[in-house]
């Protein structure tokens, strides 16, 4: 399989840490995305590494027993370590604050701490088997203050740091989930919901395993993902991932079902708003895009993989050490290893090899794996780094070898212009709101972000159409049809066609020239642009005629026209233009001479040199 076929890859620069072994325990903190390597309970050192910081944090701590959980608060201000089921120890990493440890015991009697989550640089949540306790840490006082607590039986918990939501599994079947949301010192309880478990044989008691649940933000919305392994007894064709949408307000709702059509061991990641499902038995992965059209049955939408299953691109482990000995060849990494652990959204950790990778999507290979251009565009327009890939798809569909039909080309242009128009409308609304002075009264007013999906006319012209119209082998009619299709699409979305786009196509299609001038006359703001284009093409008389035609010849710069006329090296043209401006001066000011402010001295000198002093116009006196 060539490299062009893999659409998933591990990042080039993984975070490297000491492999897990009997002396070295490895922990991962999902909020800060940091790996902790704790040697001998911390006595011989703790090394903390994250994806962004290339400078690891190293420190030692007394070995006070086995470390169960270790995490920094946001911004690495305070370290929290859990060693027993009753208490969590704290240590300040703030300059000028005491480094002495302080301890907090959970408030609920007979409760055991399952774990903890930092929700800010000084706020922490203890999750116990009997509920949840929300504290504020006071580092200067070396103590904690209970802000709020809530009692309920807890089997296990999950935290989504991006949305600051903790999910608690309750009840005997473990399938009633209770979410809590945290924000600036407040804890709010969201409506609980039940995960529907598949039918199980009589002998086994069904229950919801923490392994089969993930939480992730997809297209700005929080989802709970449930991996439902259908029991082999049912007549279904394999496992599926059920997506429950968890809104800030209102009840949780089952929205999407991703059909895997296979059974076995799976793991989930979310990359660039795509749900990636890894399958260990076949060592392949598939991707799902919930924005693409699926099959809606009235309550949920069913989706199939966007592309055929593929392995993650084979990965060579870079050789470390002093100027890596050249004789050693890089070691191929065992993909889909049983020692891999995945974390949301896009993290894969191999504790046995000592690597943390971010999973990435490669867009180029997808172009050839998705033949339906309309669906391909829908897919690409939702991706973060899509611009150059989309432009290459457009060039490809207009190439001699891969030429698409006009209806397909029209569909692609319409999809591009739909995004373009959305952005233009958002910009306009924003500008109007600012003008109306709403920005002061509404702090939520934000300038729309221009994503890579917004391809304007100059993008399409520069990267696609300009090269396309120069291809001599293209049938003339096809070239014109494509240009007209693009203009039709712009008009359909009520996007003003930029005349410079048409003017620049004029040498391949002369009528475009007249068409563009007609359009530009209607767009008064663009008159300067027309004059510029005509002058740049040395069409000085045409520019003068145009500007007279719209009645703007009294305000134009004489020097600009004289410069352009001189550049043509046509002396009679220069004479005509010079005489025109002399007459204008006479009409406006009663004298044919140029004023110093017009900076035409060198042109007057040039005129005298060619035609002599006597050729200058004499002031008419009455």
């Amino acid at each position: 399989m060539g490299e062009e076929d893999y659409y998933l890859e591990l990042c080039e620069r993984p975070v490297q840490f000491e492999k897990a072994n009997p002396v070295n325990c490895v922990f991962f903190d999902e909020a800060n995305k940091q790996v902790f390597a704790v040697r001998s309970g911390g006595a011989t050192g703790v090394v903390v590494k994250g994806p962004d910081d290339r400078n690891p944090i190293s420190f030692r701590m007394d070995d006070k027993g086995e470390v169960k959980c270790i995490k920094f608060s946001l911004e690495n201000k305070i370290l929290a370590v859990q060693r027993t089921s009753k208490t969590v120890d704290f240590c300040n990493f703030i300059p000028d604050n005491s480094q002495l440890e302080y301890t907090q015991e959970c408030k609920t009697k007979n409760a055991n701490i399952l774990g903890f989550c930092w929700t800010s640089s000084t706020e922490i949540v203890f999750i116990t088997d009997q509920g949840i306790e929300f504290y504020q840490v006071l580092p200067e006082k070396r103590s904690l203050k209970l802000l709020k607590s809530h009692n309920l039986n807890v089997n296990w918990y999950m935290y989504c740091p991006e949305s600051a939501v903790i999910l608690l599994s309750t009840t005997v079947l473990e399938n009633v989930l209770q979410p809590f949301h945290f924000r600036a010192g407040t804890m709010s309880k969201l409506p609980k919901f039940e995960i529907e478990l598949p039918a199980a044989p009589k002998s086994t008691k069904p229950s919801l395993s923490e392994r089969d649940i993930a939480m992730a933000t997809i297209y700005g919305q929080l989802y709970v993902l449930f991996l439902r392994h259908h029991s082999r007894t049912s007549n279904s064709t394999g496992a599926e991932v059920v997506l429950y949408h968890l809104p800030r307000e209102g009840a949780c709702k089952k929205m999407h079902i991703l059909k895997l059509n296979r059974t076995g061991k799976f793991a989930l990641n979310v990359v660039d708003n795509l749900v990636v499902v890894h399958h260990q038995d076949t060592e392949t992965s598939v991707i799902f895009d919930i924005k693409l059209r699926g099959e809606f049955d009235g309550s949920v939408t069913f989706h199939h993989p966007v592309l055929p299953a593929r392995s993650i691109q084979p990965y060579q482990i870079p050789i470390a050490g002093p100027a890596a000995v050249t004789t050693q060849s890089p070691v191929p990494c065992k993909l889909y290893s049983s020692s891999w652990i995945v974390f949301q959204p896009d993290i894969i950790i191999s504790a046995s090899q000592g690597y943390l990778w971010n999973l990435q999507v490669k867009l180029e290979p997808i172009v050839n794996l998705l033949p339906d251009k309309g669906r391909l565009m829908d897919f690409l327009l939702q991706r973060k780094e899509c611009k150059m890939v989309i432009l290459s798809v457009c060039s490809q569909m207009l190439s001699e070898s891969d030429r698409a039909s006009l209806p397909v080309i029209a569909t692609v242009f319409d999809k591009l212009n739909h995004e373009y128009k959305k952005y233009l409308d958002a910009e306009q609304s924003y500008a109007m709101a600012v003008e109306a002075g709403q920005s002061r009264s509404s702090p939520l007013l934000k300038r729309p972000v221009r994503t890579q999906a917004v391809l304007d006319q100059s993008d399409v012209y520069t990267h696609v159409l300009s090269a396309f119209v120069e291809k001599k082998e293209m049938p003339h009619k096809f070239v014109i049809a494509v240009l007209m299709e693009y203009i039709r699409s712009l008009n359909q979305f009520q996007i003003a066609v930029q005349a410079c786009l048409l003017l620049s196509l004029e040498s391949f299609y002369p009528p475009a020239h007249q068409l563009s001038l007609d359009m530009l006359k209607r767009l008064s703001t663009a008159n300067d642009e027309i004059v510029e284009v005509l002058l740049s093409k040395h069409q000085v008389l045409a520019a003068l005629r145009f500007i007279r035609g719209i009645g703007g010849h009294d305000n134009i710069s004489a020097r600009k026209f004289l410069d352009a006329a001189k550049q043509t090296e046509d002396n009679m043209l220069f004479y005509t233009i010079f005489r025109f401006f002399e007459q204008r001066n006479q009409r406006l000011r009663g004298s044919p001479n140029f004023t110093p402010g017009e900076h035409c001295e060198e042109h007057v000198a040039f005129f005298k040199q060619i035609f002599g002093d006597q050729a200058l116009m004499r002031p008419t006196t009455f």
Side-chain angles (χ1 to χ4, degrees), residues 9 80 87 157 167 170 186 222 258 363 477 481 507 523 547 563 576 604:
E9 63 180 352
T87 60
Y157 73 95
L167 207 55
T170 67
T186 60
L222 181 60
L258 318 180
L363 296 180
K477 277 184 174 167
S507 52
L523 305 166
I547 209 83
D563 277 343
T576 309
V604 174

Side-chain angles (χ1 to χ4, degrees), residues 510-609:
H513 184 70
Q514 198 49 50
L515 185 66
S516 54
L517 290 183
D518 293 347
M519 282 170 50
L520 282 164
K521 279 182 191 168
R522 276 177 265 144
L523 305 166
S524 55
T525 52
N527 294 335
D528 299 342
E529 202 178 334
I530 299 194
V531 172
E532 293 297 332
V533 173
L534 291 170
L535 291 179
S536 72
K537 289 171 168 282
H538 305 302
Q539 298 179 353
V540 188
L541 278 174
L544 199 52
R545 255 190 241 106
F546 171 75
I547 209 83
R548 286 182 72 174
I550 57 169
H553 51 295
D554 285 355
N555 305 317
I556 53 174
S557 152
R559 182 182 167 187
K560 183 183 278 188
F561 276 78
L562 290 168
D563 277 343
K566 193 175 168 191
Q567 278 174 5
T568 63
E569 297 178 355
D570 176 342
N571 288 346
M572 284 323 293
L573 175 69
F574 184 79
Y575 182 92
T576 309
I577 299 292
F578 192 89
R579 184 65 87 222
F580 169 82
F581 283 106
E582 280 188 317
Q583 288 168 342
R584 182 184 81 167
N585 295 345
Q586 174 71 38
R587 183 167 47 79
L588 296 178
R589 293 196 294 270
S591 160
N593 301 334
F594 292 93
T595 61
E598 291 182 278
H599 305 294
C600 291
E601 295 78 9
E602 65 171 281
H603 297 104
V604 174
F606 179 71
F607 185 87
K608 285 183 191 173
Q609 182 195 328

Side-chain angles (χ1 to χ4, degrees), residues 59 130 166 231 269 319 366 436 512 539 553 591:
F59 56 90
Q130 295 184 29
I166 290 180
S231 68
N269 277 130
I319 299 165
I366 294 173
Q539 298 179 353
H553 51 295
S591 160

Side-chain angles (χ1 to χ4, degrees), residues 14-19 49 315-331 353-355:
V15 175
Q16 256 179 297
F17 54 89
E18 193 181 339
K19 298 172 186 175
K49 285 187 170 182
Y315 184 84
Q316 304 280 332
I317 289 185
I319 299 165
V325 189
T326 44
T327 53
Q328 287 179 283
S329 52
V331 188
Q353 290 174 307
Y355 283 97

